[in-house]
Amino acid sequence: MSDRKILITSALPYANGPIHLGHLVEYIQTDIWARFQKKRGNQCHYVCADDTHGTPIMLKADREGITPEELIAQVGKEHLQDFTEFGVAFDNYHSTHSEENKHFSSLIYTRLRDGGHISSRTITQAYDPKKEMFLPDRFIKGDCPKCDAKDQYGDNCEVCGATYSPIELKNAVSAVSGEKPIEKDSEHYFFNLADFNDMLKIWTTEDHLQSEVSNKLAEWLEGGLQDWDISRDAPYFGFEIPDAPGKFFYVWLDAPVGYMASFKNLCDKQDLDFDEYWAKDSKTELYHFIGKDIIYFHALFWPAMLDGANFRTPSAVFAHGFLTVNGEKMSKSRGTFIKARTYLDHLDPEYLRYYFAAKLSAGIDDIDLNFEDFTLRVNSDLVGKVVNIASRCSGFIKKRFDGKLSANCTEPELFAQFIGASDSIADLYETREYGKAMREIMALADKANQYIDDKKPWLVAKEEGKEQELHDICSMGINLFRLLVSYLSPVLPKLAADSEDFLNLSAQTWITSETTPLVNHEIKVFKALMTRVDETKIAAIVEESKDNLEKITEPVKPKFDPIAPEIEFDDFAKIDLRIAKIVKADHVKGANKLLQLTVDIGDETLNVFAGIKSAYAPEDLEGKLTVVVANLKPRKMKFGLSEGMVLAAGPGGEELWVLHPDEGAVAGMRIK
């Protein structure tokens, strides 16, 4: 067991709505990291909770004719079910409407108050005279004061992006009653964030944050920190502030306490030491994953609040970007999102886990769920490369060798290559460079498939006297498959578990230099571990979400070049199209558009210059099958002799797609 003790938290989903795919970017990213830490033998706990307080909860419960407690219990069950089916393995999932949350909210507040960091003053707010309640900004609607867009909420316009105060809205009405709001005074309590200016200037520059976040916070610190309103007036569903009847804790204090409360609940269940992780002098590691839209709150307010209440601050806060769907921004308020449940009703959740992993980095860039790319990537990488290895080799092992692997490892150097990638892949997981990790793993998968292609067990099986050779080849393939799945296991836990069952292994730890090949080892009958993405299922998801995806599902029809003049069949017959494997790809020094490709067409290799540099990195092409014009007369170019042509489609630039044959095609086959 490692000496590292790690507590991981992520944002609390709000309990008045369903989990959607935008939420899942964060939870999948966090879960991958937590699973990786555990696989490495670290003592790791991942906790979360539903954010269950506030006016929206109260009003929604009222509309549904149930109590807020009944609503949050129902939603909490739904949230946890969605997370579980997506493989998000919380060690504890709790609620902010809990005794632990009440205890720590009051404790932190009184410590901040006694330390002189809480102030009160009278503020003017929008008030619904019919419902006799103060209105949050999001419960006031009207016309945008900048662009006159109708039906905008009281804090920002989703049409022009302008921000404003609710009183600036034109024709403002209460979203609760439809009445025109009036202004009314009330006393509110504030956390004096500026008291921690010096502390935060140090904390935000000590590698607790990504550089781009740290730089942004430096601007805010320079501009001066504002006091944060931590209170709301009755009626409000939440916890009353000590010694302040009718005043309730708002999210700014209540929600971040949720991480502590959830962990305290876990401590009570598992006899863990709460103070070991949260005391001022704690030596354990505390990490938080959060969306970039609320980084101000989690990288300024939260550490300041913890410091002022004599608790430790996070080791690091990791921000991530937003999710777009087919290039369009998701919006909760407008409903332009795909629910987690809608996805789960149709597709394997591990497809999405892999796709997100392949797109995620340590930065805060937005990522896009492009359904076409999603289909191609999952089918190519997971089904066509990884699972295909086991499929190609297991049948021979079961039928010809009674399900037992060879006693020999005939390719120790290749096995050592795969083992040698362990540290590099681990470093990429540790630094949350998941996309780079997936590329490195898939490069190994390409090598495994190349090995099988070169050895051609399907041909060896037909030759007499080559039983041992066949046994060794297929056993080697199975051993390489085992390593690949182990590397992918933080991303694909179900595939890993199913593969371990097929391989007749207990749960594997992280691959190390001590890992040895499976020899004389019995495996089980191979069952399909993963199937190709069914595009009709994607169509069904889009159809069920069509009310929310109007912008997405109506793409601009592309303009294509006109059809070329007709040719005779004899003209076409002169073209020799071949399946080719790209065995090597390099940049061309001095060329802006060209890549130099070495392609295997079965009996020979060709040197081809292809103008696809804008769309592909060389490393992404090596090992892939494509289509070439094999009998094109060699062309002398500035950079050398081009002996063929690789076929690609698209208008150019980044919009170029090299043609790929379907599974089963072999380099050298003529296209007829």
Side-chain angles (χ1 to χ4, degrees), residues 179-285:
E179 290 287 310
K180 182 179 180 178
I182 63 172
E183 292 185 350
K184 187 173 180 177
D185 292 343
S186 80
E187 185 182 28
H188 271 223
Y189 293 82
F190 293 82
F191 175 62
N192 302 331
L193 186 58
D195 292 354
F196 298 87
N197 190 77
D198 292 341
M199 171 260 168
L200 289 169
K201 280 185 176 178
I202 297 171
W203 189 87
T204 57
T205 56
E206 289 184 329
D207 295 326
H208 300 294
L209 306 166
Q210 297 123 307
S211 59
E212 53 265 62
V213 172
S214 184
N215 292 337
K216 185 64 180 178
L217 294 187
E219 295 176 20
W220 289 335
L221 283 162
E222 190 65 31
L225 299 174
Q226 302 297 311
D227 293 346
W228 280 65
D229 190 344
I230 60 167
S231 64
R232 288 295 184 267
D233 298 278
Y236 189 86
F237 181 64
F239 295 136
E240 211 166 36
I241 298 175
D243 304 322
K247 305 293 180 182
F248 292 80
F249 287 124
Y250 186 45
V251 64
W252 303 134
L253 193 139
D254 196 82
V257 174
Y259 318 126
M260 306 171 77
S262 183
F263 184 64
K264 181 62 168 69
N265 183 256
L266 180 66
C267 290
D268 294 342
K269 293 175 181 176
Q270 298 187 0
D271 197 27
L272 299 170
D273 184 352
F274 178 87
D275 290 337
E276 184 180 14
Y277 288 83
W278 286 100
K280 190 80 166 178
D281 60 352
S282 172
K283 298 297 188 288
T284 61
E285 300 172 56

Side-chain angles (χ1 to χ4, degrees), residues 494-557:
K494 185 178 182 301
L495 176 66
D498 291 346
S499 299
E500 285 161 355
D501 181 65
F502 155 63
L503 294 169
N504 202 20
L505 294 170
S506 56
Q508 298 185 89
T509 56
W510 188 254
I511 299 298
T512 69
S513 58
E514 305 299 316
T515 304
T516 57
L518 301 174
V519 293
N520 282 324
H521 179 83
E522 191 169 339
I523 63 174
K524 297 181 181 180
V525 175
F526 177 80
K527 298 176 183 177
L529 295 169
M530 186 173 281
T531 58
R532 296 170 69 85
V533 177
D534 185 344
E535 294 188 25
T536 63
K537 301 291 188 181
I538 292 177
I541 291 172
V542 172
E543 179 64 25
E544 287 187 26
S545 306
K546 65 181 180 181
D547 292 339
N548 303 326
L549 291 174
E550 292 177 358
K551 295 180 182 178
I552 301 174
T553 57
E554 298 178 3
V556 177
K557 189 175 181 180

Side-chain angles (χ1 to χ4, degrees), residues 259-532:
Y259 318 126
M260 306 171 77
S262 183
F263 184 64
K264 181 62 168 69
N265 183 256
L266 180 66
C267 290
D268 294 342
K269 293 175 181 176
Q270 298 187 0
D271 197 27
L272 299 170
D273 184 352
F274 178 87
D275 290 337
E276 184 180 14
Y277 288 83
W278 286 100
K280 190 80 166 178
D281 60 352
S282 172
K283 298 297 188 288
T284 61
E285 300 172 56
L286 171 62
Y287 300 101
H288 187 63
F289 289 74
I290 195 70
K292 65 182 180 181
D293 55 327
I294 48 177
I295 192 63
Y296 189 108
F297 175 51
H298 284 89
L300 292 178
F301 178 86
W302 189 36
M305 181 191 80
L306 290 169
D307 184 71
N310 202 37
F311 287 105
R312 60 93 44 83
T313 57
S315 305
V317 176
F318 301 134
H320 60 81
F322 302 131
L323 178 72
T324 57
V325 180
N326 285 351
E328 294 286 338
K329 181 182 177 182
M330 298 184 71
S331 167
K332 285 189 288 185
S333 59
R334 293 298 178 187
T336 54
F337 63 88
I338 300 172
K339 296 177 191 176
R341 181 52 47 188
T342 305
Y343 179 100
L344 289 167
D345 287 342
H346 297 282
L347 287 176
D348 186 336
E350 297 216 323
Y351 294 161
L352 192 70
R353 287 180 65 99
Y354 178 75
Y355 190 76
F356 281 175
K359 293 254 182 166
L360 282 165
S361 71
I364 59 173
D365 295 331
D366 298 344
I367 66 172
D368 183 52
L369 170 57
N370 179 284
F371 287 132
E372 184 177 354
D373 180 52
F374 170 85
T375 302
L376 291 172
R377 195 181 294 252
V378 171
N379 288 347
S380 171
D381 289 0
L382 298 186
V383 182
K385 293 181 181 180
V386 179
V387 172
N388 193 42
I389 298 168
S391 175
R392 298 171 84 184
C393 298
S394 60
F396 292 117
I397 297 292
K398 201 66 188 175
K399 293 174 185 176
R400 303 282 282 267
F401 309 105
D402 297 323
K404 185 171 283 190
L405 300 180
S406 173
N408 308 314
C409 177
T410 54
E411 302 287 341
E413 290 184 0
L414 182 59
F415 188 85
Q417 246 187 324
F418 276 55
I419 294 290
S422 172
D423 288 346
S424 171
I425 294 171
D427 287 344
L428 292 171
Y429 272 122
E430 180 70 39
T431 55
R432 306 175 327 284
E433 292 286 0
Y434 300 159
K436 292 180 180 178
M438 296 308 101
R439 288 195 289 275
E440 189 160 336
I441 295 167
M442 289 306 144
L444 292 175
D446 286 336
K447 287 183 180 179
N449 280 289
Q450 173 115 31
Y451 166 79
I452 296 168
D453 288 344
D454 292 345
K455 296 296 182 180
K456 297 179 174 56
W458 55 90
L459 296 181
V460 175
K462 297 176 182 178
E463 298 184 41
E464 292 185 14
K466 291 196 173 184
E467 288 290 299
Q468 188 59 53
E469 184 179 344
L470 177 64
H471 200 184
D472 292 342
I473 293 168
C474 294
S475 297
M476 189 66 200
I478 295 295
N479 268 291
L480 298 179
F481 168 77
R482 170 211 177 185
L483 300 179
L484 289 169
V485 169
S486 184
Y487 288 142
L488 286 167
S489 59
V491 178
L492 306 170
K494 185 178 182 301
L495 176 66
D498 291 346
S499 299
E500 285 161 355
D501 181 65
F502 155 63
L503 294 169
N504 202 20
L505 294 170
S506 56
Q508 298 185 89
T509 56
W510 188 254
I511 299 298
T512 69
S513 58
E514 305 299 316
T515 304
T516 57
L518 301 174
V519 293
N520 282 324
H521 179 83
E522 191 169 339
I523 63 174
K524 297 181 181 180
V525 175
F526 177 80
K527 298 176 183 177
L529 295 169
M530 186 173 281
T531 58
R532 296 170 69 85

